[in-house]
Amino acid sequence: MTTGSILAADLLIAVLAAAGWLGGGAASVTGRRRLALGLAAFALVATLARVVTIVALARAGWWFAAEKVLIAAPLSLIATAGAGAWWLRSRSVGVALFLTGYAHSAALLVTVLHGYPASAGAALLAASGVIAATAVTWRLLGARPSRTVSRTAGVVAAAALVAGTGLAAQPGSADVVPHLHEAGVAAGVGEPTKRFTLVAGTTATGWAFNGQVPGPELTATVGDVLEVTLRNTDIERGVTLHWHGYDVPNSQDGVPGITQAPVLPGAEFVYRFRADQAGTYWYHTHAVSDVGVRKGLYGVLVVRTVPVTGVDVTIPVHTLGGRTLPEPRTERIAAGQPVRLRLVNTDNTTHRYALTGTPFLVAAIDGSDLAGPAPLTGTAVLIPAGGRYDLVFTAPATPVALLVDGRAIWSTGAVTTATGKWPVLDPLGYGRPAPVPWSRHDREFTLVLDRGLDLKGLLPRYAHTVNGAADPDTGVQVARLGETVKFTVVNRSTVVHPWHLHGHHVLVLSRNGQPATGSPLWLDSFDVRPGEVWEVAFVAGNPGMWANHCHNLPHVEAGMTLHLMVRG
């Protein structure tokens, strides 16, 4: 089993255990003793099974089991043992079963609502809930505990509640690193050789740049200086331009509150940067991005080293109002022509791409060329949210088609090949390997991705978290210019998190402890699936404050973002 499947199994077993104990209590108080015994036996088996899953998760990494080992397991096992002793000495069998059920429910809630890391506040709140619920149940069932027991239980529950709430709601300890919001063009770039204007505004179907979705394709040749003027006509919450995957100077990165203020209706902002990275990239608003990108504020940026030869096609895949873009199209291509398909995933989730009718190479990922790519046939590729793959091939005399999630998007003719059962390429083992360029890392940071109840703001919210905190309490990680930085990115949640660092590409070192064995893989967007642990590294070569976040944009809105400060 994968760590992700163990995480899912652990949650299911926890639910079954809690339901078994509570069900047993309900059966006992209604006089159905056999059913109560049966449910209790089932719950005991589930409790022992959860011990197995917790041990397995702890072996996979402390991140996956911290709150289970320190809070959930002790709470559940102590309650189970205590209820067993109570059962043997008392006629209050129902209360004993309810006590165990409450403890298992609290243990489950610690994992679901609190997550990583384990904290004294969560332990106190869980204990308070169990004590209070048991005391109330005891009284309602007419067992009439002694006044001393009642008072003691009330005092302990209240004290645990107050202390736990105080600890849980403490202001975050996030570091605050001063930075400037620089307006205007970056210094030292030079005079522009290519100028573009993008006008953001509402349309009948959503939002758009220059009245079209996607926005205009921006193209350049290495050495060009691009100047892009962004204007906002009527989008009230403001817009910006973020150059996804393009390592621009920090002042041009387009992150509201970090590098610039949002461009409000009637205003404009001028971006200027040098085109020194060839490859396939894209741009999108970073202001209210979970709404703006979904509604259509995105487009493609392509930088080439030489003029186009052969057929060069960009295919940004996007879901707009439940409709998949682009619309299917057929393009007639003469046999023998070189073809490059630039695939861009602008959605929040992974898409599956299958090219049928010809062998092909994956020439580049996220704008970086791969070394020694081998021909592929009958193989699909998965592109994470924000990611890009360049597929190249020589056009055959027979039809070729690109299918996205089983739907033909681009073709040279009718193709009927079924691709649903094709294996998926693992890019970590594709291409010719090369030694890692560093022998050590100057800085190491761990990012544990999770979800839980965020109590730091005025109103509680269920948030996607990094290291147990949600933005703006996630803090700033600091590196000095030129240092080598290693990130360990851990996903202990049950959903995929496509991770994206601004201003830098990262070199993949390993996934789940297995080193990358293919071409050096420089990425700016990569899927961290449930239970996965990625190790990536990079040189902090671009000074400034950089966003570092999940590119499932609703997750960002729900708190899954932090920042990297590279100090010059």
Side-chain angles (χ1 to χ4, degrees):
M1 294 177 69
T2 66
T3 303
S5 62
I6 299 173
L7 283 168
D10 179 71
L11 285 175
L12 176 60
I13 292 169
V15 170
L16 293 175
W21 291 117
L22 292 174
S28 177
V29 300
T30 56
R32 291 177 284 182
R33 184 172 178 80
R34 285 198 177 190
L35 178 59
L37 287 172
L39 288 171
F42 169 80
L44 182 59
V45 171
T47 299
L48 296 175
R50 197 176 189 210
V51 172
V52 174
T53 59
I54 290 174
V55 170
L57 290 173
R59 293 181 64 183
W62 180 245
W63 315 285
F64 302 117
E67 90 292 351
K68 299 175 180 65
V69 171
L70 297 178
I71 303 174
L75 187 63
S76 300
L77 295 177
I78 289 170
T80 303
W86 189 351
W87 192 345
L88 293 174
R89 296 184 181 183
S90 169
R91 293 182 180 180
S92 303
V93 174
V95 177
L97 293 174
F98 275 118
L99 163 62
T100 315
Y102 295 145
H104 282 267
S105 298
L108 174 62
L109 289 175
V110 166
T111 292
V112 173
L113 296 181
H114 176 71
Y116 179 89
S119 72
L124 288 169
L125 287 173
S128 170
V130 172
I131 294 168
T134 304
V136 170
T137 302
W138 200 353
R139 277 201 166 276
L140 290 176
L141 294 180
R144 297 195 179 280
S146 70
R147 186 171 295 180
T148 300
V149 171
S150 295
R151 287 179 176 175
T152 302
V155 170
V156 171
L161 176 63
V162 171
T165 302
L167 289 171
Q170 275 184 344
S173 58
D175 298 327
V176 177
V177 179
H179 56 283
L180 299 176
H181 297 176
E182 301 177 32
V185 300
V189 174
E191 290 300 310
T193 58
K194 276 204 164 185
R195 289 184 170 90
F196 304 94
T197 298
L198 295 175
V199 181
T202 59
T203 67
T205 57
W207 297 352
F209 288 120
N210 295 7
Q212 65 183 71
V213 178
E217 181 174 316
L218 308 185
T219 61
T221 302
V222 169
D224 282 340
V225 175
L226 276 64
E227 182 177 277
V228 183
T229 301
L230 171 65
R231 297 193 180 112
N232 181 2
T233 56
D234 59 357
I235 296 177
E236 293 295 330
R237 299 174 71 180
V239 296
T240 65
L241 289 176
H242 168 59
W243 310 97
H244 188 109
Y246 216 81
D247 302 336
V248 297
N250 189 244
S251 63
Q252 308 301 294
D253 196 44
V255 180
I258 301 298
T259 65
Q260 70 171 94
V263 180
L264 298 176
E268 69 175 40
F269 189 96
V270 178
Y271 300 85
R272 187 183 294 175
F273 57 91
R274 185 176 297 279
D276 51 11
Q277 298 173 221
T280 306
Y281 306 92
W282 64 295
Y283 62 88
H284 62 82
T285 182
H286 221 285
V288 201
S289 58
D290 63 312
V291 176
V293 178
R294 174 170 50 83
K295 287 193 170 186
L297 290 179
Y298 72 95
V300 174
L301 168 67
V302 175
V303 179
R304 300 180 175 91
T305 55
V306 294
V308 176
T309 57
V311 178
D312 194 317
V313 182
T314 58
I315 305 176
V317 173
H318 191 78
T319 304
L320 183 68
R323 180 168 55 99
T324 301
L325 299 178
E327 296 292 345
R329 66 174 171 135
T330 300
E331 184 173 353
R332 301 298 178 184
I333 298 176
Q337 284 208 69
V339 181
R340 178 179 289 257
L341 301 182
R342 300 176 183 268
L343 312 180
V344 185
N345 182 0
T346 66
D347 272 333
N348 289 318
T349 57
T350 308
H351 286 302
R352 185 179 190 274
Y353 299 73
L355 183 64
T356 181
T358 181
F360 65 94
L361 306 177
V362 178
I365 299 178
D366 285 359
S368 297
D369 289 343
L370 300 185
L376 298 170
T377 55
T379 303
V381 298
L382 296 179
I383 304 183
R388 290 91 56 214
Y389 274 50
D390 287 18
L391 310 186
V392 300
F393 60 93
T394 300
T398 52
V400 173
L402 176 73
L403 286 77
V404 180
D405 300 329
R407 175 176 178 264
I409 292 289
W410 178 91
S411 66
T412 62
V415 174
T416 58
T417 305
T419 63
K421 295 184 179 180
W422 283 6
V424 173
L425 174 69
D426 182 358
L428 274 67
Y430 179 68
R432 185 175 62 248
V436 175
W438 317 290
S439 58
R440 64 181 180 87
H441 304 106
D442 302 303
R443 306 270 179 175
E444 295 191 17
F445 300 111
T446 298
L447 285 64
V448 180
L449 314 181
D450 203 357
R451 70 281 175 272
L453 192 63
D454 176 29
L455 301 175
K456 300 298 191 297
L458 295 176
L459 295 174
R461 61 170 176 162
Y462 195 69
H464 289 276
T465 61
V466 183
N467 296 338
D471 184 58
D473 297 309
T474 46
V476 177
Q477 296 171 327
V478 181
R480 295 196 175 277
L481 190 65
E483 287 185 329
T484 302
V485 181
K486 177 183 175 182
F487 280 152
T488 300
V489 188
V490 180
N491 185 359
R492 51 162 282 145
S493 75
T494 56
V495 295
V496 177
H497 294 297
W499 204 253
H500 173 55
L501 171 65
H502 288 212
H504 301 78
H505 280 63
V506 300
L507 175 65
V508 178
L509 304 178
S510 71
R511 182 185 59 214
N512 300 331
Q514 299 298 315
T517 58
S519 168
L521 197 56
W522 293 92
L523 305 178
D524 57 68
S525 306
F526 55 95
D527 272 346
V528 187
R529 299 185 177 279
E532 287 190 341
V533 179
W534 286 64
E535 292 181 323
V536 300
F538 60 98
V539 173
N542 203 351
M545 179 77 84
W546 300 102
N548 190 18
H549 63 89
C550 176
H551 216 274
N552 186 321
L553 298 176
H555 294 180
V556 177
E557 181 65 18
M560 189 167 273
T561 185
L562 71 164
H563 297 92
L564 172 75
M565 167 63 86
V566 178
R567 286 177 161 162

